[in-house]
Amino acid sequence: MPGRSFLVLGALLASSLSTVAVAPGAHAADTLLSQGRPATASSQEGAGYTPAAAVDGDLSGTRWASQWSDQQWLQVDLGRPANLSRVVLTWEAAYGKDYEIQASDNGTDWRTLRKVTGGDGGTDDLAVSGSGRYVRMQGLARATGYGYSLWELQVYGSATDGTPAPGAVKVEGTQGAWRLTVGGQPYTVKGVTWGPAIADAPAYLPDVRAMGANTIRTWGTDGSSKALLDSAAANGIRVVNGFWLQPGGGPGAGGCVNYVTDTTYKNTSLAAFAQWVEAYKSHPATLMWNVGNESVLGLQNCYSGSELEAQRNAYTSFVNDVARKIHSIDPDHPVTSTDAWTGAWPYYRRNAPDLDLYAVNAYNGVCGVRQDWIDGGYTKPYIVTETGPAGEWEVPDDVNGVPDEPTDVQKADAYTRAWNCVTGHQGVALGATLFHYGTEHDFGGVWFNLVPDGLKRLSYYAVKRAYTGSTAGNDTPPVISTMSVSPASSAPAGGEFTVRADVRDPDGDPVTYRVFLSGNYAAGDKRLVEARWRATGSGTFAVTAPQKLGVWKVYLQAEDGHGNAGIETRSVKVVAPPVSGTNLALNRPVTASSFQASYGDCPCTPQLAVDGRADTRWASDWSDPQWFQVDLGAAKALRTLQLVWDPAYAKSYAVQVSDDGTTWRTVYSTAAGDGDVDTVPLSATARYVRLQLTARGTGWGYSLHELGIYG
C-alpha cells in the first residue's frame, strides 16, 4: 500500500494569532469528531459538490464548493457538545483568504474560536480552544474569483462529559467477565467473513443483516474500503478492518519477510496502516482493527528451528508496534491480531501487551479453544475470526486418498456447534465471524461458502438460526443424503460412471439438478465445470468422466427454484479406459535409451512401464530424443497400443515395429500429443515395438505409467 503522512491527534494550546499556523503534535485522547456527521452550507456550486463531501474522509477525491461570492459558510453537527482542540481545513485551489472558525451549542448563536487573515490555501491546521456541538467555517474573503472549496473539514476534540464518542468501541470488565461495548452498550460479535466484491456490497449486505449478523470481517484495508464501510453502515453492520502482513494465510502462503532485520517492510507497513486508521477511525461502521492473519503459523514456511522462534517473536513484537501506533491515532476502537492456532497466543502474551484482545481461526477444533485459554492462563478475552465446518486438513481421506468433504448436513451442524462453543465461553469469548459469506462457486467455495453462486445452503440457515433464534417461515434447501459414485476408483476416462443420491425438499418444491466436476486434485484446477450427464432414474445420474486421469470431485447440486441449493460431493478416480484382448507387453523384456535412477519416487526403470500397475512408472532423462522398446518374444498380430502417461508426456513421437529389432518401420506418429491416455489403433505384425520420442510436452523427461499392446 502507498504510504502517506498522517496527523497525530491531540489537545492543542489556543492561540490568539490571526495568521495560519501548523498545530503541534496532539494527545491521543482527542478524536476526529466530524467525519461522516451531518453537514450543511450556505450554498453549493452544483450537485457534485455537496457539504457532505467535505466530511467524508476523502482528502483528494470529493469536495464541497460554494457559489462564487463572499460570506459563504460550511458547518458540521458533531451530534453532541465537545471540547474542541483542533480544526484542519484541506483547501482546493479555490480557497479562503480570510475566514473564521466558529462554534455553537444550538446551531444559531455562534462564537469565534479562530480568525484567519491572509491565508494561502493548502492545508490549514489550526489549534482552537472552546466547546460546542456545531462547528462552522465562515468565509469572509475569497482568494480567487471562484467560490470557497474544501476537500475536507476535520474537527478534533473530546466529549465534554467524558463519555465515549458516539459509537466508541471498548473492551470492558475484569478477568473472565469481559464484554465488548459500542457507545456504552453491550455488543456480541455475530459476524461472517466477507467475500463478495466491494461493488456488490449493496446487493449482499442486506442479506447479511437479514441473517442476523451485525459484523463482517475483512483481511485488508485500503482506499477501496470506504465503499464497503459506507454500505455496511447503511445496513447497520460493523466491520473488523483487517491489515494484511506476510506471510499471511498459514500453510502454503508466500511472501516471506524477515521480521528481525527488514525494517523497510515494517516501516512501510506501519505508515500504510496508520494512513487507513486515520481515514476510517471515525467511520460509523468501524468496529475494531485486526493486524495480520495466520502469520505466526505461516512463518514455518519460511524458517525453522531457532530462527523460526526468533521470527515469531519479532513478528508479534511488530504487531505490538502496530497496535501501539493504532492506539495513538484511534483510542476508540480496540486492536487484535489473528492466527490459526491458540499455540500463537503465548507469543502475543509475551510480545504484544498492547493488544486489547486476542483472535483465532479455528474450525473443527473451535470447541477446544476455551480449554486452551484456561490452560494457558490468559488475561485477555478473544474473538473467533474464522470457524465453520472441518477443513481439508482436519478430515480423514476417502477411498481415493483425498480429504473426505463433510456433507451439507454435517456442515450445517458444524456451524451450530461452533457458535454454541463460542457463546458457551461467557465473559471471555466476545463473539465470532463465521467463515464464509462468499459467492465463489468453486472447490473451496462449495466446501465453505454459505452462498456459492448466490445460492443459500443449509449452512446459511444454520447461521441464521444461531444469530436470530429461528428460521420459521423460510423456504429451505433440498437435502441430499447417501450420495455415492460407482465405480468410485475406476471410472474410465471418457466413459460413464453412476451417481446416486436420495434428495428431498422440506417444502415440497420441485427440484432441478446440475452436476459439476472439479480437477483440483487431478490438475490443481479449483474451478467447477458442468459435466455431461443424464438422469437414469430417481436420484440416479450417468456422468461422463473427463479424459484427464486422476482423482476428481463430482458435485450433485439440487436447486428448489427459490434461491436455495443442496450440494453434495464425492470423489471419483478416473483411470485409463479398458482395452479388450490380451496385453502382449505385460511383464515382457523392455529396454530404453535412459532411465532416472533417483528423483522423487524413482528409480524409474523401463520394466515398471509394463508391470500392469498404474502407480509405477518409467522415466527418462530430461532431454530429446529418447526411445522405449518392448520385445514380445515372437511375431504377434497387433491391434491396439495404449499409453498411460505420467504428467511428463510426449508431445511428438512415433510408434515403430520390427521383426528383428534392427530394421524399423513407422506405423503411427503424432506431433500433437497432450498426455493422459493415448489409445492408438494398429494393424501390423511384429515382434518388437518401439516408441521413438522426439519432443517432450514438459520440461521434464518422458514418463509412462503403463504401455499396453493388445492383439
Side-chain angles (χ1 to χ4, degrees):
M1 302 177 194
R4 155 171 92 75
S5 62
F6 61 93
L7 303 172
V8 182
L9 311 183
L12 301 167
L13 298 176
S15 170
S16 61
L17 298 176
S18 62
T19 55
V20 176
V22 176
H27 298 292
D30 281 353
T31 301
L32 176 59
L33 305 174
S34 53
Q35 188 164 309
R37 299 299 306 166
T40 54
S42 54
S43 66
Q44 65 187 56
E45 184 177 343
Y49 305 100
T50 65
V55 291
D56 64 359
D58 190 337
L59 293 171
S60 61
T62 59
R63 62 187 175 96
W64 163 72
S66 77
Q67 293 179 356
W68 298 7
S69 62
D70 285 321
Q71 301 297 318
Q72 301 289 337
W73 53 263
L74 171 74
Q75 72 184 47
V76 59
D77 178 1
L78 304 179
R80 62 176 179 168
N83 290 318
L84 306 173
S85 61
R86 179 165 158 247
V87 176
V88 181
L89 301 97
T90 305
W91 292 102
E92 198 254 349
Y95 62 93
K97 182 178 71 172
D98 301 335
Y99 61 90
E100 292 181 348
I101 300 299
Q102 302 174 338
S104 173
D105 297 324
N106 56 16
T108 302
D109 302 310
W110 297 91
R111 51 191 174 272
T112 298
L113 304 181
R114 186 76 179 265
K115 183 175 182 178
V116 173
T117 59
D120 58 0
T123 298
D124 293 348
D125 193 335
L126 309 173
V128 298
S129 180
S131 63
R133 171 175 172 171
Y134 302 87
V135 176
R136 180 164 71 177
M137 186 287 298
Q138 175 64 60
L140 303 175
R142 293 165 292 148
T144 72
Y146 304 105
Y148 298 85
S149 183
L150 280 166
W151 292 111
E152 200 74 7
L153 171 68
Q154 297 171 301
V155 180
Y156 292 87
S158 59
T160 57
D161 59 1
T163 60
V169 183
K170 302 293 181 184
V171 176
E172 301 177 334
T174 57
Q175 177 73 13
W178 290 287
R179 67 176 186 170
L180 194 67
T181 62
V182 176
Q185 298 301 309
Y187 188 98
T188 298
V189 176
K190 297 181 177 181
V192 290
T193 55
W194 176 252
I198 290 176
D200 293 330
Y204 286 107
L205 281 173
D207 182 57
V208 171
R209 187 64 188 176
M211 291 176 66
N214 59 13
T215 307
I216 58 173
R217 178 207 173 192
T218 69
W219 289 267
T221 302
D222 58 19
S224 69
S225 301
K226 184 180 183 302
L228 179 61
L229 289 163
D230 289 347
S231 189
N235 286 280
I237 292 172
R238 290 188 173 260
V239 181
V240 177
N241 293 312
F243 288 125
W244 190 261
L245 285 169
Q246 298 289 16
C256 293
V257 171
N258 189 316
Y259 283 95
V260 175
T261 63
D262 195 342
T263 55
T264 299
Y265 176 82
K266 291 189 286 186
N267 289 341
T268 301
S269 298
L270 192 61
F273 299 166
Q275 171 188 359
W276 303 120
V277 172
E278 181 76 34
Y280 302 131
K281 64 183 181 180
S282 298
H283 198 288
T286 293
L287 181 69
M288 66 178 71
W289 307 100
N290 189 8
V291 183
N293 181 71
E294 300 189 0
S295 291
V296 173
L297 176 63
L299 282 164
Q300 71 185 11
N301 300 309
C302 308
Y303 305 98
S304 61
S306 60
E307 181 61 23
L308 175 60
E309 285 302 294
Q311 292 293 333
R312 284 174 167 167
N313 284 316
Y315 168 78
T316 47
S317 295
F318 176 62
V319 167
N320 196 64
D321 293 342
V322 177
R324 188 181 297 119
K325 173 63 74 175
I326 292 174
H327 284 140
S328 74
I329 302 170
D330 178 12
D332 286 327
H333 297 93
V335 184
T336 188
S337 183
T338 283
D339 227 280
W341 56 321
T342 55
W345 284 359
Y347 296 93
Y348 290 113
R349 177 173 56 188
R350 179 165 60 247
N351 302 313
D354 286 290
L355 292 177
D356 298 289
L357 69 165
Y358 299 139
V360 65
N361 294 342
Y363 288 81
N364 201 42
V366 65
C367 292
V369 172
R370 175 177 184 170
Q371 193 60 48
D372 288 350
W373 185 89
I374 294 170
D375 294 343
Y378 296 104
T379 57
K380 291 184 178 181
Y382 66 87
I383 58 173
V384 177
T385 40
E386 291 178 27
T387 189
E392 284 183 271
W393 61 95
E394 296 176 306
V395 297
D397 287 346
D398 67 10
V399 66
N400 290 319
V402 300
D404 192 4
E405 186 168 340
T407 66
D408 262 7
V409 172
Q410 290 169 333
K411 291 174 184 177
D413 289 345
Y415 284 105
T416 302
R417 171 177 169 268
W419 183 245
N420 288 341
C421 288
V422 171
T423 55
H425 200 181
Q426 294 184 7
V428 179
L430 304 182
T433 51
L434 305 179
F435 190 88
H436 177 52
Y437 194 92
T439 58
E440 299 88 351
H441 189 256
D442 58 11
F443 173 84
V446 169
W447 196 303
F448 288 110
N449 285 353
L450 300 175
V451 285
D453 206 21
L455 297 167
K456 298 175 181 178
R457 306 175 67 183
L458 288 177
S459 295
Y460 171 95
Y461 292 99
V463 174
K464 184 172 186 177
R465 188 178 302 108
Y467 287 168
T468 68
S470 174
T471 56
N474 290 125
D475 192 296
T476 55
V479 179
I480 304 173
S481 59
T482 63
M483 178 180 172
S484 65
V485 174
S486 178
S489 300
S490 57
E496 287 189 335
F497 61 89
T498 300
V499 172
R500 293 183 178 87
D502 293 325
V503 183
R504 61 177 180 84
D505 186 87
D507 309 291
D509 297 322
V511 175
T512 58
Y513 296 95
R514 301 176 74 183
V515 180
F516 298 91
L517 292 166
S518 165
N520 180 57
Y521 298 120
D525 185 353
K526 294 183 179 296
R527 295 176 302 162
L528 264 60
V529 178
E530 195 142 12
R532 290 172 52 199
W533 62 277
R534 55 192 176 87
T536 57
S538 178
T540 306
F541 311 89
V543 182
T544 300
Q547 293 290 342
K548 186 169 186 58
L549 306 185
V551 178
W552 289 70
K553 295 291 287 293
V554 56
Y555 298 80
L556 179 63
Q557 183 164 304
E559 302 178 18
D560 67 357
H562 296 281
N564 301 309
I567 309 175
E568 209 75 15
T569 180
R570 292 290 183 271
S571 75
V572 58
K573 186 174 184 179
V574 178
V575 300
V579 179
S580 61
T582 301
N583 183 0
L584 305 175
L586 183 63
N587 294 321
R588 295 301 305 168
V590 290
T591 53
S593 54
S594 65
F595 73 90
Q596 291 182 26
S598 61
Y599 183 83
D601 59 343
C602 292
C604 300
T605 62
Q607 200 65 40
L608 297 176
V610 292
D611 63 357
R613 294 177 53 179
D615 59 347
T616 60
R617 65 188 179 100
W618 162 71
S620 78
D621 288 344
W622 296 10
S623 63
D624 293 318
Q626 302 287 334
W627 56 264
F628 180 99
Q629 81 181 48
V630 57
D631 179 0
L632 303 180
K636 303 287 179 69
L638 312 178
R639 179 173 48 83
T640 305
L641 169 72
Q642 187 178 73
L643 304 174
V644 181
W645 295 101
D646 176 70
Y649 65 94
K651 179 180 179 181
S652 180
Y653 65 92
V655 179
Q656 299 176 331
V657 297
S658 174
D659 299 322
D660 56 9
T662 302
T663 303
W664 298 91
R665 57 189 184 275
T666 298
V667 294
Y668 174 81
S669 66
T670 182
D674 58 1
D676 291 312
V677 179
D678 290 346
T679 302
V680 179
L682 299 177
S683 179
T685 299
R687 172 176 174 173
Y688 299 92
V689 177
R690 180 167 70 177
L691 297 180
Q692 187 64 45
L693 306 160
T694 53
R696 291 166 290 151
T698 71
W700 299 300
Y702 299 91
S703 184
L704 277 169
H705 280 293
E706 200 68 17
L707 177 148
I709 301 172
Y710 299 85

